[in-house]
Amino acid sequence: MKPILVILLFCFAFLPSQSANVVRINQLGYLPQSTKVAVFLSTEEITESSFTVHNALSNEVVFTGKTRNTDAQNWGMKTAYRLNFSGMEQEGGYYIKIANTRSPNFRINSDVYEGTADFILNYLRQQRCGYNPYLKDSCHLHDGIIVDHPSKTSEKINVTGGWHDASDYLQYSTTSVNTVFQMMFAYQNHPEIYGDTHKANGETGANGIPDILDEIKWGLDWMLKMNPATNEMYNQIADDRDHAGFRLPNKDSVDYGYGKYRPVYFVTGKPQGLAKFKNQSTGVSSIAGKFASGFALGSQLFNKLDPAFSTQLKRKAHDAWEFALSDTGFCQTACNVSPYFYEEKNYTDDLELAAAQMYLLTSENRFLNEAASWGQKEKVSPWIKNGTARHYESYPFINLGHYFLADNRKDDFTNNYKKGLDLLHERGKNDPFFNGLPFIWCSNNLVAAAITQANLYKKISSSSEFDEMEAALRDWLFGCNPWGTAMICGLPGVEDSPMFPHSSITLINNETTFGGLVDGPVYTSIYKGLIGIELMKPDEYAVFNQGKAVYHDDIGDYSTNEPTMDGTASLSYLLASLEAEGREQNTNKSNFEKDNFGTIIRIQPSVKNIYLCFTANSMFEGGDSILNTLKKNKIKASFFFTGNFLRLSSEPETIKKIVKAGHYIGAHSDKHVLYCSWDQRDATLISEKEFETDMQNNYLELEKFGIKSSNARFFMPPYEWYNQDISDWSKNMGLRLINFTPGTGTNADYTTPDMSNYKSSEELLKHLKGYETGNDNGLNGAILLIHPGTSEKRTDKFYTKLDEIIQYYSAKGYAFKSLNEL
């Protein structure tokens, strides 16, 4: 990841012209068995009836498709084509060409979404209130002072915890409880997806509990504080006086008139606000319904993990349900210095979901009947039905109650989903991006809701009628949009994602808000009417901001580029589902352990196999010795050669001998250049085009020895040194980046006595044995790197220990394997 300031300078230096021809793609890539459609946009009038898909390594045409003309005018363009290549299912790296315009490289692979569901949790951890693991510091420890309570006003209450709503430090029960529910829903459907790399307090380190459950528990604990007793429920912490400029939460000095305490608003069910401006609340059902459904689902999830906690949540769910029915109506967030608040005006969806969860918790039919009754009052979410809405007017943006009821009253509630999807389909069918959603504030939240609704409809109906629309909206979030940017900050694997979100973290700490889903584009008419927006850098998307909606990756644009807690959480089910779908499509069932860059560093850690790997650029004096040892022990290994080595080798017959013996031979780069800095690993030293050319030339040399790129996808980078850019570029060319298993130490066999890090062969062997006995997985699946040629200064050649290594570990039950066997 390039430093923010470097990117900022780049943006000033290279601004786009007012003409453009681009192909927009899902930058993460595509699952093999999925709908795949790219979009061509041009500021010129271009007529093309077909397009081609090319192999990124060989440049050969592998697919030809027909274009579909769509309405370009809405996006300020003269030409817009949809390019459907769904028939392409072969895994690999590709690019699209149309009218002399080439897309970025992309990949088709079953693992394109792997790790994304866990990645967005980074933002939730960053948003934590109380102890903040990102800052390694605490904030708002004195929350707060009760306001608007008939008898407890001015009393102190402990409600520290939860998450900050967005880049401000307000905390709303409305959005927070929905955040908890969205994560619980994702975990309930796909518990197998989530990993354990963080402790309960959010700091790095496993604790035996999936990280999403840690985050869910953090939220549920805060919900209990905000609903401390029967009929006592609190709506929010702080108010719009919070909007006092950029500062970190642990440096928050806003004074609400209560000293170090912030106001905590009691749920009154009446219009609320401590000063001139008040909201329009009519009851408590919307907020209490959310608490009831959250407590009820939480009780189900923690039933076995923490029975006492589950019992407590069950009791709270009953109380919240009764409170929800005590004063039917909607409850909005409170304002103070301005008439700005979340304008939720529906509540029947909250009561439907609450009753559905109460039924699943208790099996009492009265709750099922209640759920059905409330569900029929709002069959289609108002923002979908009307094609527009005020800010958060119909919230949550997806009615999950319909889904839970579909199992019991399938036709009614399945059709409710279909009616809404039909409307979205009709509005979007002529749009280049198949996006007929309204571009109001937080439009990306609507996109996530629509994708989820389409996914759940297909799940309960087995209908594929909305597949293309669902795929288009999915791809919109990952870069197939007019601006060509993914909408999740710092998302690994994409070429372009928000690096300048409207956030104090970015302005003060010079870092993006990793994992956060930004608000997304708004109608141009809305943007032009906003007050206080001042872009901090030239608009690199200017040519694409001439249509019906605008987006800026700019700290100054609070309308399109502010990440939100609930929007991010709304991706949980979607991303977990995409990961699960990818695993189902995975035809290679090998279990790879990967490092933080997604590079393979172990293969099937539960199996006692060792993978011997050898890399060569210029020196290969030990080649014959190694081959004889492998032949003697009837072992296949893996070799990685540079183009330099293949071109200049004085022993081409030796290479042919390796091929004939059936060993794996793969790429090691063409010129053996250093791809990224030793001192600053995220500083990439070559361009993507230079990398692409380097790899293509390497494979041209391999082909001279009969090695086809399709059979040599594993790639070990030069110097075994790489970063996220190299990992992403490799994947997008259809390559599988692989490296030695960290800690094994044999890679240090290149060192010479004059180096400070010199290790003798005996030291290397002793270290390897110690690593094997001291590691939980031993050498299971380990990738051992040995250099077949080293400097003449090193007379103690480690490759002469190869036979000893093979004999020693074979006696311990290990088998030696080649990458060809995967």
Side-chain angles (χ1 to χ4, degrees), residues 726-802:
I726 302 305
S727 176
D728 293 343
W729 297 345
S730 298
K731 292 173 183 176
N732 288 340
M733 293 190 76
L735 300 172
R736 306 199 73 135
L737 200 62
I738 193 168
N739 199 20
F740 62 84
T741 302
T744 51
T746 57
N747 58 296
D749 64 347
Y750 72 91
T751 57
T752 56
D754 57 327
M755 294 180 175
S756 60
N757 61 339
Y758 172 70
K759 293 289 187 298
S760 70
S761 293
E762 284 300 328
E763 288 176 301
L764 293 175
L765 192 56
K766 181 179 179 181
H767 176 86
L768 180 63
K769 290 178 179 179
Y771 176 87
E772 190 261 342
T773 57
N775 189 280
D776 290 341
N777 289 320
L779 288 179
N780 292 359
I783 300 164
L784 294 188
L785 175 61
I786 297 175
H787 291 96
T790 58
S791 169
E792 59 184 15
K793 293 181 181 179
R794 184 180 181 111
T795 57
D796 178 19
K797 306 291 189 178
F798 185 66
Y799 54 74
T800 62
K801 299 288 186 181
L802 181 59

Side-chain angles (χ1 to χ4, degrees), residues 39 93 228 305 596 652 661 710 765:
V39 174
L305 184 64
N596 291 335
S710 58
L765 192 56

Side-chain angles (χ1 to χ4, degrees), residues 120-230:
I120 63 171
L121 296 178
N122 286 303
Y123 182 66
L124 273 298
R125 285 188 285 268
Q126 190 180 87
Q127 291 297 104
R128 283 196 183 191
C129 187
Y131 179 70
N132 187 293
Y134 170 78
L135 297 171
K136 298 287 194 298
D137 199 359
S138 298
C139 63
H140 303 120
L141 295 180
H142 298 95
D143 286 341
I145 290 288
I146 296 173
V147 297
D148 262 5
H149 192 285
S151 61
K152 294 187 176 182
T153 292
S154 298
E155 289 185 14
K156 297 174 184 176
I157 183 172
N158 177 13
V159 288
T160 296
W163 306 278
H164 304 125
D165 191 60
S167 293
D168 52 54
Y169 303 126
L170 284 157
Q171 292 178 255
Y172 301 118
S173 292
T174 297
T175 51
S176 296
V177 177
N178 182 46
T179 292
V180 178
F181 195 94
Q182 293 281 353
M183 289 192 290
M184 290 193 293
F185 182 64
Y187 182 76
Q188 183 183 47
N189 281 273
H190 296 292
E192 76 283 359
I193 293 300
Y194 291 94
D196 173 26
T197 59
H198 289 76
K199 304 173 186 176
N201 68 356
E203 293 183 349
T204 302
N207 65 344
I209 297 173
D211 293 337
I212 193 168
L213 276 184
D214 286 329
E215 220 55 42
I216 288 167
K217 180 68 162 54
W218 183 266
L220 287 170
D221 284 342
W222 183 76
M223 285 172 58
L224 290 171
K225 290 183 175 182
M226 295 293 280
N227 181 205
T230 301

Side-chain angles (χ1 to χ4, degrees), residues 434-459:
F434 218 136
N435 189 333
L437 282 64
F439 290 100
I440 55 178
W441 271 26
C442 298
S443 64
N444 279 342
N445 296 22
L446 305 183
V447 173
I451 303 169
T452 301
Q453 183 161 323
N455 180 285
L456 294 176
Y457 172 74
K458 183 175 183 177
K459 186 175 178 180

Side-chain angles (χ1 to χ4, degrees), residues 689-759:
K689 180 60 180 176
E690 288 170 329
F691 173 80
E692 183 178 336
T693 301
D694 191 55
M695 294 310 303
Q696 288 176 339
N697 289 338
N698 194 176
Y699 276 95
L700 285 175
E701 296 302 323
L702 287 169
E703 285 178 9
K704 294 176 182 178
F705 292 90
I707 301 163
K708 295 183 178 180
S709 60
S710 58
N711 296 324
R713 296 292 187 182
F714 290 101
F715 158 55
M716 190 170 287
Y719 302 100
E720 295 76 53
W721 191 244
Y722 49 90
N723 61 13
Q724 190 64 57
D725 282 341
I726 302 305
S727 176
D728 293 343
W729 297 345
S730 298
K731 292 173 183 176
N732 288 340
M733 293 190 76
L735 300 172
R736 306 199 73 135
L737 200 62
I738 193 168
N739 199 20
F740 62 84
T741 302
T744 51
T746 57
N747 58 296
D749 64 347
Y750 72 91
T751 57
T752 56
D754 57 327
M755 294 180 175
S756 60
N757 61 339
Y758 172 70
K759 293 289 187 298

